[in-house]
């Protein structure tokens, strides 16, 4: 039978772990609330400047607290290449392909890093190292977009960086997203993977609508 002292020590260790994770979450929320920034600056800050299919890094564990190195096989990358096999006939079609390619990459990477357990949102899945918050999601989606752009798959869009919304003080939870801009119109679009479980298509919506508080129908993220 476990002694009372040992039980207390184990309880204290668990409590410290939860406090550390909570601190990371709060730092992540603060970062999520920043207004946004330049693509090159984001990638340099995360040290993600040389991403390619056979070698790149992703963030996880809230606030980009942890990173994992990943490499894709030719067969794994072919699943992405197949989506872009024919040039997109319009920007709308290309955005739909971006959403699907992001899902494939997230699912493939998840199986290699243990992040396949990631659940949509933050508070409903406050569960540790395999989980993504919006800082992790923005960083990873930017990496995936980089891979697509370097492969020449993005003909209607360019990488723009990232955007944030919500400051707590204004009554909205902080959140951030990766951003692409349609080359012909100059219109910016959020590429947001945070709302969904691992391996689900990204939501690609106008940045103006996203900044106004857009969320998918039925989405709930609660601490309760």
């Amino acid at each position: 039978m476990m002694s009372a002292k040992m039980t207390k020590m184990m309880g204290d260790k668990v409590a410290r772990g939860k406090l550390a994770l909570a601190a990371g979450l709060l730092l992540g929320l603060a970062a999520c609330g920043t207004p946004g920034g330049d693509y090159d600056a984001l990638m340099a800050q995360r040290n993600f400047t040389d991403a390619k299919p056979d070698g790149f890094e992703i963030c996880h564990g809230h606030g980009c607290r942890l990173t994992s190195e990943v490499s894709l096989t030719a067969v794994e990358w072919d699943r992405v290449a197949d989506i872009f096999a024919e040039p997109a006939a319009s920007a709308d079609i290309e955005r739909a392909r971006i959403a699907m390619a992001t899902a494939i990459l997230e699912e493939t990477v998840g199986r290699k890093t243990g992040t396949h357990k990631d659940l949509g949102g933050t508070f409903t899945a406050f569960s540790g190292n395999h989980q993504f918050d919006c800082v992790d999601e923005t960083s990873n989606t930017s990496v995936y977009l980089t891979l697509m752009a370097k492969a020449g798959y993005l003909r209607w869009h360019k990488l723009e960086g990232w955007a944030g919304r919500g400051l707590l003080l204004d009554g909205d939870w902080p959140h951030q997203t990766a951003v692409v801009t349609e080359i012909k119109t100059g219109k910016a679009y959020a590429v947001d993977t945070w709302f969904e479980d691992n391996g689900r298509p990204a939501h690609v919506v106008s940045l103006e609508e996203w900044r106004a508080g857009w969320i998918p129908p039925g989405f709930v993220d609660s601490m309760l």
Side-chain angles (χ1 to χ4, degrees), residues 80-124:
V80 177
D82 287 346
I83 294 176
F84 297 95
E86 295 294 330
S90 70
D92 287 342
I93 292 174
E94 186 166 277
R95 287 192 291 274
R97 292 181 180 182
I98 287 171
M100 291 302 301
T102 301
I104 288 173
L105 286 165
E106 191 173 80
E107 185 270 334
T108 304
V109 168
R111 287 187 280 103
K112 293 172 177 283
T113 61
T115 56
H116 62 286
K117 300 176 182 178
D118 171 63
L119 300 176
T122 295
F123 297 124
T124 53

Side-chain angles (χ1 to χ4, degrees), residues 171-185:
D172 291 328
W173 284 107
H175 186 40
Q176 67 175 227
T177 182
V179 178
V180 296
T181 296
E182 186 177 334
I183 295 170
K184 185 175 182 179
T185 65

Side-chain angles (χ1 to χ4, degrees), residues 25 122-126 173 220-224:
L25 175 60
T122 295
F123 297 124
T124 53
F126 185 27
W173 284 107
V220 176
D221 188 42
S222 174
M223 296 181 70
L224 302 178

Side-chain angles (χ1 to χ4, degrees), residues 23-55:
L25 175 60
L26 290 174
L27 288 172
L29 282 173
C32 283
T34 53
D38 175 72
Y39 166 80
D40 290 332
L42 170 67
M43 301 305 280
Q45 183 186 43
R46 300 286 189 266
N47 197 29
F48 290 166
T49 54
D50 192 31
K52 50 187 181 297
D54 62 358

Side-chain angles (χ1 to χ4, degrees), residues 5-27:
K5 182 177 180 181
M6 185 174 294
T7 301
K8 183 178 184 302
M9 289 175 63
M10 291 183 66
D12 289 346
K13 184 176 181 180
V14 171
R16 287 195 297 270
K18 289 182 177 179
L19 284 173
L21 191 56
L25 175 60
L26 290 174
L27 288 172

Side-chain angles (χ1 to χ4, degrees), residues 120-195:
T122 295
F123 297 124
T124 53
F126 185 27
S127 52
N129 293 344
H130 65 262
Q131 182 67 28
F132 299 141
D133 67 0
C134 62
V135 176
D136 301 318
E137 296 277 13
T138 298
S139 303
N140 299 343
T141 301
S142 295
V143 170
Y144 302 150
L145 289 168
T146 298
L147 297 178
M148 296 177 218
K150 283 186 174 181
Y153 298 155
L154 305 186
R155 303 186 177 206
W156 294 86
H157 298 85
K158 64 178 181 178
L159 308 187
E160 190 62 36
W162 59 283
R165 74 184 190 198
L167 298 171
L168 289 180
L169 297 176
D170 60 8
D172 291 328
W173 284 107
H175 186 40
Q176 67 175 227
T177 182
V179 178
V180 296
T181 296
E182 186 177 334
I183 295 170
K184 185 175 182 179
T185 65
K187 186 174 181 178
Y189 290 85
V191 183
D192 197 332
T193 56
W194 175 79
F195 294 103

